[in-house]
Amino acid sequence: MRRRDARRSALFRLVLGCFAFFIVSALVIGVLLFFGFQHFVERNSRAQITEQLIRSVDGPADIDAWIGEMTRHVRRARQAPLNEFVYALFDAQGGCPTVGDARHDLTDCPTSTIGSWPPGVPVKTGWVRFALSLGTGPPIRMFAWVEMLPSGHRLLVGRPVEVEGIFFDRLTGLAALAIAIVIVCGLVGSWVVCRRLLSRIDRINATCREIGVASLEQRVAIGDQPDELAELADNINAMLDRISDLVQTLSGFTDQVAHDLRTPLTRLRAKLEGLTARAGSTNAVERGRGAIEDVDAILETFNALLSVARAESNMAFAPMSLAAIVENVVELYRPLAEDKPLKLRVRTAPAVILGQKALLTQMIANLLDNAIKFTPVHGTITVSIESSADSIRLIIADTGPGIAADERSRLFERFHRGGGVGATAGHGLGLHLVRIIAKRHRMTIAIEDNAPGLRIVIEGHPWSPPVTAAEGERRARHRPAPGWSSAQPASESARNRRWWR
Amino acid sequence: MQVLVIEDDPGTAAEIAAVLREAGWTVDVACDGSDGLRRAAARPYAVLVVDRLLPVLDGLSVLRELRTRGVLTPALILSALGQPMDKVQGLTQGADDYMAKPFAREELCARVQVLSRRSLPHPEVLLIGDLEIWVKARTAHRGGRPLDLSPKEFDLLHYLAVNKGIAVTRRMILEHVFDWKAETEPGTNVVDVHVHRLRGKLDKGFDRPLLMTMRGSGYLLDAPA
């Protein structure tokens, strides 16, 4: 199996695409959750901090009230060991504000739990985040509200957010790791999943390539799963059946043609040689006439060849009455049959098919001619048409010697007529033509035992005129529940038809 | 009676002309479509023999143009394109008969003769010797006695009688009496058997046979001189 370059596999790109889509969706959700959570946490912090300031008295203008408030907060904070809040109220210069008459310095300022205005914090009303060093130990992340009072004092209330910070850091780290793992697993998983499917497709491709090059006998393996790939393999096999059929028909055909052309050509040559050797002899006229007949024989074969070629390629079909064509041909051959003598019976039914008049006439004539030739005297030949809603059968039955069962399949391949002067050459092509014309009209040929004799059954589908829109609607309303669409007319080899038909 | 042959290959044209002259016709030859058109429109010919593949203007176009101008001279197309489709095309585009190449001399003569009679009136009764054919009633009498003919036998007799004196070929009988459109002829000589039967009913018991076989050419119905 050829190693497939991953970039050039449509399947892999598809799976990767699905996976990428999934990843992107997950990422979007993750990001939303992350920021949502972060926002929630921050709101919580703000709420806690804001709560501390609610108990201010008379609004921010009342500096004494603020000082009193803050003093109380600070005293309580110093007494509660688990307090985490930070309070600070400094004057405009950053020093401890005067409380009553007492002046304190920063080390034991009653309105502040911290020694000085934290460096890096702008003196401006608003929320801030900063890092605070509390003696020994690393700086702690803080979230605080800063307020500039009209008197110039600055207020700060905050709480540590180190835990949240660490939490979110860890979370971000883990998320990144998780995404990386998922991406790697996804890539590997996609490849593993694809490989199985790809190997099936690769097998089909490989078989087709071999078939194209080597023999037409091989068929594509269907596999054991009833999915689209199996159906594809089945269809390819059906196509190969048909091609193989055509090729076989053609090869037997060319043998016959070669024989039918070489024989009269050889005779013609001999006669002309005789003529040139003895010009002026009384035999000349006779030989000349004979030569003309040989040329006619060659022309007939040539015409038959053209008919065959045209039968394969001609596209101009029209609806026509098979019954009318049959009756015409039968009337043409009746005297010949009755002279032998043979009984010739006809039973037609109305039957319209899509076809070509000249080809159908030829086909029926060849079959009838054959039947007349091979049925011994006093026998009966019956030509009948059976017509039903979805099938038309044309049956030519005789009471002749018939054909042994194992010979029947070769009947159309190697019909060998003992050549004779005067009879139309190219007649051996007659049954080839019958087969090709039947195929061209999408009809099947079956050779059966007439007990006694031979029975040839040609079956096809009747032609129905295209429906008008109104009629189509009417039919649609009465249509039964939809199932699988109906299969094509059965080809002659029905190998490998499986579950979905 | 004059025939115009429109054929570009000089060898073929000479051959056709020779065959027709031998049969008693006067023959003019045109070498391309437009020359043929000009001549056919200028003088009243009895029959036109036209090839399809011509330089300047092809055979079918010449005929189409002639018909548009009201020139209804019967025309026989003689062409290498001999498939049923081609014939149908030719016959619907203004030709009256169609023959494939290569052609047999006798058949060419016969078909030209048949065409030359096309402009004659169609009588209700055909009289040949002591044979009487009533066309509409589809009955035939010889020497006063009615002939018991099947419908196809009557059609055959009628065709031979309309073309009295012309040796019609098997091919012509197949096409016109049996509506045989296929490229090849039936394997066995089915036409011969039909003619043989007709002869049995027509000529048996009479001194002078009316239905004659011309070896190599075909069949002919006529009262002997």
Side-chain angles (χ1 to χ4, degrees):
Chain A
M1 189 186 358
R2 225 166 48 170
R3 205 111 268 260
R4 176 172 293 280
D5 180 2
R7 286 183 301 242
R8 289 172 54 197
S9 163
L11 185 62
F12 190 58
R13 283 202 302 270
L14 169 71
V15 175
L16 219 51
C18 291
F19 172 68
F21 183 68
F22 162 74
I23 276 288
V24 166
S25 321
L27 267 177
V28 166
I29 293 173
V31 162
L32 284 175
L33 279 176
F34 187 89
F35 283 110
F37 195 44
Q38 204 175 49
H39 177 69
F40 169 76
V41 166
E42 183 166 310
R43 246 188 20 186
N44 204 34
S45 292
R46 290 191 193 189
Q48 287 188 348
I49 293 172
T50 313
E51 223 177 37
Q52 306 294 314
L53 300 170
I54 282 177
R55 290 172 241 143
S56 70
V57 183
D58 279 331
D62 191 351
I63 187 60
D64 288 318
W66 271 114
I67 290 175
E69 180 78 25
M70 279 310 226
T71 311
R72 273 199 298 281
H73 279 307
V74 171
R75 193 167 47 233
R76 211 184 41 250
R78 287 197 179 135
Q79 282 166 357
L82 291 178
N83 170 69
E84 49 174 11
F85 280 92
V86 162
Y87 303 92
L89 177 58
F90 292 120
D91 61 19
Q93 288 77 36
C96 195
T98 319
V99 182
D101 297 325
R103 290 210 60 139
H104 303 265
D105 64 25
L106 288 172
T107 46
D108 65 345
C109 188
T111 59
S112 169
T113 57
I114 51 178
S116 63
W117 189 256
V121 176
V123 186
K124 199 169 67 173
T125 304
W127 294 96
V128 293
R129 286 177 186 273
F130 60 96
L132 185 67
S133 267
L134 294 176
T136 58
I140 297 182
R141 283 175 274 194
M142 306 289 287
F143 185 60
W145 171 254
V146 169
E147 188 150 351
M148 295 307 299
L149 300 175
S151 54
H153 289 73
R154 26 180 126 149
L155 178 74
L156 181 143
V157 179
R159 60 181 291 275
V161 289
E162 183 67 23
V163 174
E164 287 92 329
I166 292 174
F167 173 71
F168 277 113
D169 284 346
R170 288 270 161 82
L171 193 63
T172 310
L174 276 172
L177 183 65
I179 287 174
I181 291 177
V182 166
I183 286 181
V184 167
C185 285
L187 282 171
V188 170
S190 304
W191 179 239
V192 167
V193 162
C194 282
R195 232 169 58 120
R196 189 150 168 349
L197 216 53
L198 281 177
S199 74
R200 281 178 76 192
I201 296 179
D202 277 343
R203 266 205 301 277
I204 294 180
N205 275 336
T207 312
C208 285
R209 259 197 306 277
E210 271 169 38
I211 292 173
V213 167
S215 79
L216 280 173
E217 293 310 311
Q218 252 191 307
R219 292 292 176 267
V220 178
I222 298 221
D224 46 12
Q225 299 208 17
D227 56 10
E228 307 94 301
L229 280 186
E231 194 172 338
L232 174 69
D234 192 41
N235 283 332
I236 292 178
N237 285 343
M239 268 174 20
L240 289 170
D241 285 343
R242 170 150 166 79
I243 294 175
S244 171
D245 238 352
L246 283 172
V247 166
Q248 272 179 2
T249 310
L250 225 53
S251 74
F253 173 70
T254 49
D255 288 343
Q256 188 67 50
V257 166
H259 171 270
D260 283 351
L261 283 179
R262 287 217 179 102
T263 312
L265 276 171
T266 311
R267 289 199 298 252
L268 178 62
R269 203 174 180 294
K271 288 197 181 82
L272 290 173
E273 265 188 331
L275 268 177
T276 54
R278 281 162 285 195
S281 79
T282 51
N283 260 350
V285 170
E286 205 47 54
R287 285 223 171 84
R289 280 231 171 87
I292 292 176
E293 279 174 13
D294 286 329
V295 171
D296 284 341
I298 296 170
L299 280 172
E300 268 305 300
T301 302
F302 186 58
N303 284 338
L305 261 177
L306 282 181
S307 289
V308 167
R310 285 293 178 134
E312 277 295 334
S313 68
N314 205 317
M315 299 296 284
F317 278 28
M320 52 192 52
S321 161
L322 187 62
I325 299 176
V326 165
E327 277 157 14
N328 221 21
V329 175
V330 166
E331 283 321 301
L332 178 61
Y333 279 89
R334 186 175 289 284
L336 193 66
E338 289 174 359
D339 267 11
K340 196 164 172 177
L342 293 170
K343 249 175 41 186
L344 182 55
R345 289 214 297 249
V346 190
R347 257 196 332 253
T348 59
V352 176
I353 60 168
L354 200 62
Q356 243 219 1
K357 195 165 179 184
L359 293 179
L360 289 169
T361 311
Q362 182 94 65
M363 179 179 82
I364 299 170
N366 285 359
L367 287 169
L368 192 51
D369 194 297
N370 226 42
I372 293 175
K373 198 171 290 185
F374 287 104
T375 306
V377 294
H378 299 302
T380 308
I381 299 178
T382 314
V383 181
S384 50
I385 296 181
E386 288 168 14
S387 175
S388 75
D390 45 41
S391 113
I392 290 186
R393 287 152 59 91
L394 168 65
I395 304 168
I396 297 164
D398 64 48
T399 57
I403 306 228
D406 50 346
E407 288 260 322
R408 281 182 207 154
S409 58
R410 289 174 44 209
L411 177 68
F412 290 100
E413 280 150 32
R414 215 161 291 147
F415 178 76
H416 198 93
R417 191 180 71 70
V421 152
T424 311
H427 181 57
L429 295 174
L431 285 186
H432 276 292
L433 206 45
V434 165
R435 187 192 207 193
I436 290 174
I437 294 175
K439 274 198 164 143
R440 193 68 189 85
H441 284 76
R442 293 181 184 256
M443 298 171 117
T444 57
I445 305 186
I447 305 170
E448 298 165 10
D449 194 351
N450 198 34
L454 194 66
R455 207 172 119 98
I456 300 186
V457 179
I458 299 181
E459 184 161 356
H461 287 258
W463 176 83
S464 48
V467 286
T468 61
E471 175 69 17
E473 262 184 35
R474 190 190 72 83
R475 289 194 193 178
R477 278 200 294 275
H478 292 98
R479 196 178 293 151
W484 288 104
S485 61
S486 61
Q488 293 294 321
S491 65
E492 281 170 10
S493 64
R495 303 183 221 183
N496 295 328
R497 296 285 178 264
R498 304 264 281 230
W499 309 267
W500 50 86
R501 288 208 194 264
Chain B
M1 291 266 259
Q2 290 192 309
V3 176
L4 175 64
V5 174
I6 312 179
E7 165 67 60
D8 63 322
D9 177 48
T12 313
E15 222 188 284
I16 298 175
V19 166
L20 292 175
R21 279 183 190 127
E22 235 179 286
W25 302 90
T26 320
V27 181
D28 285 347
V29 176
C31 306
D32 65 65
S34 75
D35 187 30
L37 174 62
R38 193 177 51 80
R39 289 182 174 199
R43 299 172 63 173
Y45 284 98
V47 177
L48 306 173
V49 176
V50 186
D51 183 20
R52 271 181 78 158
L53 302 168
L54 295 168
V56 184
L57 196 59
D58 75 286
L60 289 185
S61 305
V62 169
L63 286 178
R64 237 193 342 259
E65 187 55 34
L66 281 175
R67 300 320 183 207
T68 318
R69 296 188 195 181
V71 177
L72 300 174
T73 315
L76 166 71
I77 290 191
L78 187 60
S79 173
L81 304 172
Q83 290 293 321
M85 278 293 294
D86 304 313
K87 287 189 182 157
V88 168
Q89 196 187 23
L91 291 170
T92 53
Q93 297 253 351
D96 298 277
D97 201 359
Y98 200 113
M99 239 177 93
K101 282 182 192 166
F103 61 90
R105 323 163 61 102
E106 296 82 7
E107 182 150 354
L108 176 64
C109 285
R111 288 191 189 242
V112 167
Q113 272 193 293
V114 167
L115 280 183
S116 71
R117 293 207 183 162
R118 195 161 282 222
S119 40
L120 296 177
H122 299 287
E124 279 186 19
V125 186
L126 294 163
L127 296 168
I128 303 170
D130 55 351
L131 172 66
E132 232 175 69
I133 302 177
W134 289 83
V135 178
K136 280 216 179 105
R138 291 177 65 88
T139 60
H141 293 68
R142 194 170 174 193
R145 286 205 320 258
L147 299 174
D148 176 28
L149 303 173
S150 74
K152 271 295 179 228
E153 284 166 351
F154 181 83
D155 287 338
L156 180 56
L157 180 62
H158 181 225
Y159 183 71
L160 289 165
V162 164
N163 296 306
K164 166 180 105 161
I166 303 176
V168 298
T169 61
R170 286 185 194 90
R171 181 101 220 174
M172 289 162 78
I173 293 174
L174 273 172
E175 283 177 23
H176 294 110
V177 178
F178 292 99
D179 199 25
W180 180 266
K181 297 270 193 304
E183 178 69 19
T184 54
E185 295 190 19
T188 354
N189 284 333
V190 283
V191 176
D192 294 349
V193 181
H194 279 270
V195 172
H196 183 75
R197 271 207 181 173
L198 178 63
R199 176 180 281 138
K201 294 190 179 174
L202 180 66
D203 285 340
K204 190 159 123 189
F206 290 91
D207 290 337
R208 287 133 163 250
L210 294 176
L211 183 49
M212 284 164 279
T213 308
M214 315 298 283
R215 165 109 201 246
S217 334
Y219 300 103
L220 184 150
L221 187 74
D222 207 352

